[in-house]
Amino acid sequence: MTRPYVATRSGEMLHRRSFDVLVLGGGIAGLTAAIGAARRWRVGLLTKSTFEETTTFLAQGGIAAAIGEGDSPELHLQDTLQAGAGLCDEEAVRVLVSEGPDRVRELMDICPRFDKVDGQIVLGREGAHSLPRIVHAGGDATGSEVSSALAEAARLGSRVQLYEDEFVIDLLTVDGRCVGALTLNLADGGLTLNVAMVTVLATGGAGQVYGRTTNPLVATGDGVAMAYRAGAAIRDLEFVQFHPTGLAVPGQQTVQLVTEALRGEGAYLRNAAGERFMTEYDSRGELASRDIVVRGMVAEMRRDGVEHVHLDATHLEAGWLYERFPRVTAGLREHGLDLAKDLIPVAPVCHYFIGGVVTDVWGRTTVPGLYASGEVASTGVHGANRLASNSLLEGLVFSDRVVRDLDRYIGRLGEDVRRLSFDIPEGAPAGTSSDTAAARGRLTDVMQHKVGVLRRAPELQEALDELGALTSELRFDLMGEAEYEILNMLTLGTQIAKCALLRGESRGAHLRDDFPELDDERWRKHITLRLPEHERSEGVGKVTPRE
Ligand code: SIN
């Protein structure tokens, strides 16, 4: 979808900021990049909401790293490749697992609250890891512990200029090179041109395009959509990871995650008859990779005509459960459930976007001046199915690499882009405004029911038709956060449905009911998308540099 994105409201004043390095996103990837880059460069970090409103903040599992006795980067590599079902980039995985341990040790210096017993770090186990290798903090509160420590380090110990409530409308490009971003301040509605030599995209995922997700409200795929409009290659969008154990209570879009670490500690999955079933699908039982657990759950739910199975932790000691899983315990209490006493209803839920903006092993996208790190990026480490707790690690490792590379990149730049100024074309008034909440409801409903965990060609085609109709119906007079978000979500939803229809096989997180087998001969490859050049310049309303 192309439209004049950066058209401003008439007569609006544009503010201006300029940086050496502009970081977009306040999760682990953005904060790590900003703190690292600020050692040498003038850095601005913009986040769409607050540092508490990120996917990182919600992470329960932990961070996988080969630091335990008997573990090695080679074992971590093998587990990651096996989970990735033939689509991992082995060079990128090697970087992840070999640099991971040092990055995690450095993080422990910033965030001292990682869980230890007798001074020794405690390692948890999660699905498809061949041995315990997940470090965690505050039990299942790893995300909030890490986020808070990094945000504090950025605020107090570094020279990063931090801006919250700053919605990124679009990337600024000049002659195909990224030179910053146009943003909308959500508190005062002001527009700002943020000009920078280098921009680091770390805007996270897009779970909110689905009707049920573990992701926070801000996860609307803005980064992938704006990078696509700017001409960056994006790929693997059909690989949307559904987490097996989202709390199955009706009527909620943002769903409480019931961490995989519970199964790592010995909790079982039980079907409608109360029987354990996962060992029938995989010898690793409940600790098979996520795609396999989801397939097993869906098969049982279909056969029994039910909408969920149960997670059973009632055989584990109550006091220990509450202490090890304080977040899950508190979340379940809100629904009148007790981890130690009740069977917990769980069903697969949209959790993680494996695909994203294509990068090399230094975080460089195909657009000069634009780097990407974290969930927004497709580094190739996850293949077709992400191994549990590899995502925070990916943000740490690749943001560190971005910092090392941008030192080289900025050093080589002859021209100072900070001196550029811009004209923003104005949009023509539509004369009417669509209801964004209704449009969002239609979109998430289509995605949940027609592009969900188990896919078939007729529904995927219907989804594409409905999303196409919705896109062409939308009209906006004034553009604000909700309007930009729905357009970004439609871009993402449409491309996910297209790629899912195209990939006529089942692989990793992409399950096709009508193509249940893996087809290596035709499909051991990525689907990569790139907006044609003429659409980039004509449709997107790019800023034009002035003398
Ligand atoms: C979980 O805690 O189950 C989620 C961890 C992850 O997504 O890696």
Side-chain angles (χ1 to χ4, degrees):
M1 182 183 49
T2 59
R3 53 183 302 134
Y5 248 64
V6 293
T8 178
R9 285 163 264 180
S10 83
E12 181 111 6
M13 267 271 297
L14 281 180
H15 307 283
R16 187 188 169 91
R17 302 184 191 116
S18 90
F19 306 103
D20 296 323
V21 180
L22 174 66
V23 178
L24 307 175
I28 193 168
L31 283 165
T32 302
I35 293 168
R39 289 189 200 112
R40 179 156 178 205
W41 306 106
R42 247 167 33 85
V43 178
L45 183 151
L46 315 183
T47 185
K48 182 173 173 181
S49 177
T50 65
F51 293 100
E52 284 79 46
E53 183 68 12
T54 66
T55 310
T56 299
F57 193 88
L58 295 182
Q60 292 181 0
I63 309 180
I67 59 173
E69 214 170 301
D71 201 357
S72 67
E74 191 57 33
L75 278 178
H76 192 180
L77 176 102
Q78 292 311 331
D79 291 345
T80 303
L81 294 180
Q82 204 190 339
L87 278 194
C88 292
D89 174 332
E90 187 166 334
E91 184 195 359
V93 180
R94 219 167 260 292
V95 165
L96 179 82
V97 299
S98 56
E99 296 182 12
D102 282 345
R103 298 295 85 79
V104 167
R105 286 186 199 101
E106 286 159 13
L107 179 66
M108 286 172 177
D109 290 338
I110 297 176
C111 175
R113 289 178 47 119
F114 277 90
D115 294 331
K116 295 188 182 134
V117 168
D118 298 333
Q120 294 295 309
I121 196 84
V122 180
L123 295 173
R125 181 147 197 188
E126 290 181 15
H129 286 275
S130 52
L131 73 185
R133 65 162 68 96
I134 320 296
V135 298
H136 45 85
D140 60 4
T142 309
S144 56
E145 293 290 345
V146 165
S147 289
S148 307
L150 284 172
E152 171 131 325
R155 268 196 196 104
L156 302 179
S158 81
R159 292 175 302 134
V160 182
Q161 294 176 57
L162 300 171
Y163 302 86
E164 293 183 317
D165 294 321
E166 197 76 14
F167 179 86
V168 185
I169 298 174
D170 233 336
L171 297 168
L172 303 172
T173 56
V174 172
D175 295 335
R177 178 166 141 210
C178 184
V179 292
L182 176 71
T183 59
L184 170 71
N185 184 277
L186 299 178
D188 65 14
L191 293 172
T192 303
L193 285 167
N194 302 270
V195 183
M197 314 258 262
V198 163
T199 302
V200 181
L201 198 58
T203 47
Q208 289 287 329
V209 303
Y210 280 87
R212 290 183 77 248
T213 179
T214 58
N215 290 188
L217 276 173
V218 290
T220 51
D222 308 319
V224 175
M226 75 180 77
Y228 180 61
R229 291 193 297 274
I234 60 175
R235 75 174 168 203
D236 290 345
L237 293 198
E238 67 276 31
F239 295 110
V240 177
Q241 186 171 64
F242 283 77
H243 193 291
T245 53
L247 180 65
V249 289
Q252 291 204 312
Q253 195 199 356
T254 303
V255 168
Q256 150 102 40
L257 178 68
V258 186
T259 177
E260 185 157 327
L262 267 157
R263 282 176 279 132
E265 299 287 1
Y268 305 136
L269 288 169
R270 297 192 184 277
N271 62 19
E275 293 154 353
R276 281 183 72 188
F277 55 87
M278 269 316 301
T279 44
E280 302 195 2
Y281 298 90
D282 193 287
S283 59
R284 293 167 294 181
E286 283 86 353
L287 287 180
S289 57
R290 280 186 188 166
D291 55 330
I292 294 173
V293 178
V294 164
R295 282 177 208 223
M297 288 169 69
V298 168
E300 298 287 311
M301 284 154 54
R302 269 186 164 183
R303 190 201 55 217
D304 296 339
V306 293
E307 300 285 317
H308 63 258
V309 297
H310 284 107
L311 186 80
D312 179 4
T314 56
H315 52 291
L316 303 174
E317 204 267 312
W320 176 83
L321 269 178
Y322 302 146
E323 193 184 331
R324 170 71 178 86
F325 299 103
R327 293 223 145 202
V328 175
T329 301
L332 294 181
R333 276 212 182 112
E334 286 175 24
H335 298 278
L337 292 164
D338 185 332
L339 200 49
K341 294 193 185 122
D342 299 312
L343 294 182
I344 310 301
V346 289
V349 59
C350 173
H351 182 59
Y352 188 87
F353 274 71
I354 289 170
V357 183
V358 177
T359 72
D360 65 10
V361 290
W362 293 98
R364 292 181 282 219
T365 73
T366 54
V367 172
L370 180 66
Y371 289 77
S373 179
E375 189 170 352
V376 72
S378 171
T379 58
V381 296
H382 305 310
N385 179 50
R386 179 175 65 87
L387 187 65
S389 289
N390 266 358
S391 49
L392 295 183
L393 184 69
E394 184 192 26
L396 277 180
V397 167
F398 286 91
S399 284
D400 172 76
R401 290 200 139 221
V402 165
V403 170
R404 284 190 270 153
D405 195 68
L406 66 85
D407 284 354
R408 287 200 289 264
Y409 180 83
I410 298 179
R412 276 205 316 265
L413 281 180
E415 158 207 17
D416 186 350
V417 296
R418 288 173 297 171
R419 281 197 296 271
L420 289 171
S421 58
F422 302 88
D423 283 327
I424 309 277
E426 290 190 14
T432 173
S433 265
S434 306
D435 178 342
T436 48
R440 197 161 164 156
R442 263 171 80 187
L443 164 81
T444 54
D445 197 53
V446 168
M447 294 302 291
Q448 184 70 29
H449 294 110
K450 299 188 172 167
V451 197
V453 66
L454 204 54
R455 300 155 173 185
R456 285 177 354 120
E459 284 84 16
L460 290 169
Q461 189 54 59
E462 276 170 34
L464 279 170
D465 295 344
E466 288 175 38
L467 296 176
L470 181 55
T471 304
S472 55
E473 281 166 29
L474 289 180
R475 299 277 179 281
F476 299 121
D477 244 348
L478 281 183
M479 294 296 289
E481 183 190 18
E483 288 74 20
Y484 290 121
E485 277 185 340
I486 185 72
L487 294 176
N488 288 337
M489 291 164 82
L490 275 166
T491 301
L492 263 278
T494 304
Q495 300 303 351
I496 293 165
K498 268 189 199 157
C499 297
L501 183 58
L502 202 57
R503 184 175 284 280
E505 65 157 355
S506 290
R507 178 185 298 271
H510 172 68
L511 302 183
R512 283 284 298 260
D513 218 7
D514 45 358
F515 291 97
E517 305 300 329
L518 192 79
D519 182 352
D520 266 344
E521 206 174 307
R522 288 181 59 230
W523 281 112
R524 193 165 176 165
K525 60 186 177 194
H526 301 278
I527 301 176
T528 304
L529 308 169
R530 204 163 179 184
L531 202 60
E533 202 151 338
H534 64 276
E535 289 187 38
R536 280 177 228 166
S537 48
E538 276 173 19
V540 180
K542 280 295 164 209
V543 290
T544 43
R546 270 196 315 232
E547 288 309 308

